[in-house]
Amino acid sequence: MATRNRTRVTEFVLLGLSSWPEMQPVIFGIVLAMYLVAVTANALLVIVAHADSKLQTPMYFLLSQLSFIDIFLTTITVPQMLVHTLSMNRTISYNRCIIQLFFFMAVGSMEGHLLATMAYDRYVAICDPLRYSAIVSKRLCLQITLTSWVVVSLNSLLYSVLVSCLTFCDNLVAHFFCDITPLLQLSCTRPVVNEILIFTEGVAVVVSPFFFILASYARIGIAIAHMHSVAALRKALSTCSSHILVVLLLYGSVIRMYLRPSSNYNLDQDRQVAVFYTVVIPMVNPLIYSLRNQEVKGALRRLFGKDCIARNFQCGLQANKEWQHIS
C-alpha cells in the first residue's frame, strides 16, 4: 500500500452495493421501500409517544428518542445511496465524506447509549418497582440523553479528525457511504493510531453500554428467578423481550462490522451487514416495540380513532348544513 502514488484527494467515489448494472433498479426498489417503512414507522412512534397522555413516561420518552435516532441514522446514508444507485456520478466531496462519517458514528454510538438507558429503566421497574417514580424521571432521562450526546459527539469528532489527517492513495471507497473501515483501507500507510483507538477508546465508548446492559439484565435475571407469581414473571419477561431483541440485533451488527481485526475485512459481507444496520434495523425496531406492546397498540388505536371521529363529526356538520339549506 505504501508503494502507491500519494495524491491530494478532493473527492471520493462510492462504489455502492453492487457493480452489476442490471441489479441497480432492483436494489433501488427494495432499499427505497424499506427506507420509507423505516421513516414512516419511526415517525409514527415518535408522534404517538408525544401525543398520547398515557405514554408520558420515561420509558416511552426513551423509546421516542430511539425512533428519532433510527430516522436520523438511516437518513444519513440511504438517500445518498439511492441517488448513486441510479446515477452514473457516485462522487462525494472530501468534506462531505468526513461530515457524513462524523454524523454516522455519533448517531450510531448514541443508539447504544439509549439502549443502555432503557435497560436501566427496565432494571429499576422490575427490581425496585416501589421507588421507580422516585428514581427514574423524565428529567433524569433527558439529562442522560444530553450527556450521552456530548460523549458520542466528542468521540466521533476525534475519529473524524484522525481520518482527515490521513494520506489517501486512492479515492475508490468500497462502500455505499463514508464509513471508517473502508476509509482506513485507502490510507497509504497503516493507520496504527486509528486502529489502536478503535480497539481502546472505541470499545470504551461503543461497547461499554453493552456491558452495562448485560449487568442490568443479570440483576433482572436474579430478580425474575425469585419471583413466585406467574403473572409477575410474565409481565417482567414481556417488558424486557422487545428490548433484548433490539439489543441483539444492534450489537450483533456492530461487533461484526467494527470489532474484529482488519485482516478479517470482507467487502461483500461488510456491505451486507451495513445494509442490515442502516436500513433493516431502523425498519424493524418500531415494529418490534409496537407489535409486542399493548400500550403502544392502544395509543395507535386511540390516535386513529380520534382522527376518524373528528372526520365523521365534520362530515356530519357539513351534511346537516346542506340539509338545512335544502330545507
Side-chain angles (χ1 to χ4, degrees):
M1 195 173 244
T3 61
R4 293 186 293 177
N5 294 330
R6 302 188 181 193
T7 59
R8 170 63 180 171
V9 173
T10 59
E11 63 181 17
F12 292 99
V13 179
L14 301 172
L15 299 183
L17 288 176
S18 174
S19 58
W20 296 355
E22 60 275 12
M23 290 298 297
Q24 304 308 314
V26 177
I27 294 174
F28 178 88
I30 294 174
V31 175
L32 176 61
M34 291 193 296
Y35 173 70
L36 293 176
V37 171
V39 171
T40 303
N42 281 290
L44 185 60
L45 200 53
V46 171
I47 293 171
V48 169
H50 285 85
D52 194 282
S53 59
K54 294 185 178 181
L55 300 186
Q56 301 302 309
T57 63
M59 183 180 73
Y60 289 107
F61 168 78
L62 295 173
L63 182 57
S64 68
Q65 295 301 303
L66 181 63
S67 293
F68 173 76
I69 289 295
D70 282 337
I71 294 173
F72 200 179
L73 179 65
T74 192
T75 302
I76 290 171
T77 59
V78 174
Q80 172 189 268
M81 187 260 282
L82 291 173
V83 172
H84 286 179
T85 300
L86 299 181
S87 173
M88 296 300 294
N89 183 11
R90 299 186 177 184
T91 62
I92 180 173
S93 68
Y94 180 90
N95 291 334
R96 280 185 58 199
C97 184
I98 299 299
I99 292 173
Q100 185 183 52
L101 173 66
F102 168 79
F103 281 110
F104 176 77
M105 295 196 66
V107 175
S109 300
M110 186 61 194
E111 189 159 10
H113 285 254
L114 274 175
L115 290 175
T117 308
M118 294 171 74
Y120 175 73
D121 174 85
R122 294 299 84 202
Y123 157 72
V124 177
I126 293 174
C127 298
D128 199 357
L130 297 179
R131 295 202 304 146
Y132 175 81
S133 299
I135 297 175
V136 182
S137 65
K138 199 170 182 178
R139 181 180 179 181
L140 174 64
C141 293
L142 181 59
Q143 291 174 341
I144 294 175
T145 301
L146 292 176
T147 303
S148 298
W149 269 118
V150 173
V151 172
V152 299
S153 296
L154 291 175
N155 174 68
S156 182
L157 180 62
L158 173 62
Y159 278 105
S160 301
V161 170
L162 288 174
V163 170
S164 66
C165 293
L166 295 176
T167 302
F168 298 100
C169 294
D170 198 353
N171 70 337
L172 298 178
V173 181
H175 218 310
F176 60 91
F177 67 96
C178 291
D179 197 9
I180 188 165
T181 304
L183 288 176
L184 292 180
Q185 295 288 317
L186 300 180
S187 176
C188 295
T189 57
R190 185 180 178 186
V192 179
V193 175
N194 299 65
E195 292 184 351
I196 292 175
L197 280 173
I198 289 175
F199 287 99
T200 54
E201 189 267 350
V203 169
V205 173
V206 178
V207 182
S208 58
F210 180 65
F211 289 118
F212 184 85
I213 293 171
L214 291 180
S216 298
Y217 275 108
R219 297 292 300 273
I220 290 173
I222 295 173
I224 290 177
H226 290 85
M227 288 183 179
H228 302 290
S229 170
V230 176
L233 178 61
R234 287 179 179 176
K235 184 177 181 180
L237 294 176
S238 176
T239 301
C240 299
S241 58
S242 297
H243 183 262
I244 292 174
L245 182 56
V246 171
V247 169
L248 291 176
L249 290 174
L250 173 66
Y251 278 98
S253 302
V254 169
I255 292 172
R256 176 63 186 83
M257 286 177 64
Y258 301 111
L259 301 180
R260 60 15 175 183
S262 57
S263 58
N264 294 339
Y265 181 76
N266 184 291
L267 171 62
D268 293 330
Q269 290 183 6
D270 275 45
R271 285 192 292 198
Q272 293 169 9
V273 175
V275 171
F276 185 80
Y277 177 63
T278 59
V279 185
V280 178
I281 291 180
M283 180 183 67
V284 301
N285 278 355
L287 300 179
I288 291 172
Y289 277 107
S290 60
L291 294 178
R292 298 180 60 87
N293 191 308
Q294 296 299 325
E295 292 180 333
V296 173
K297 288 192 287 187
L300 288 170
R301 285 193 295 267
R302 288 190 294 273
L303 177 65
F304 289 108
K306 289 177 181 178
D307 291 342
C308 292
I309 292 171
R311 286 195 299 268
N312 291 335
F313 180 73
Q314 291 175 357
C315 291
L317 288 177
Q318 183 65 27
N320 185 49
K321 289 180 180 179
E322 292 175 358
W323 181 83
Q324 289 178 353
H325 178 74
I326 294 173
S327 300

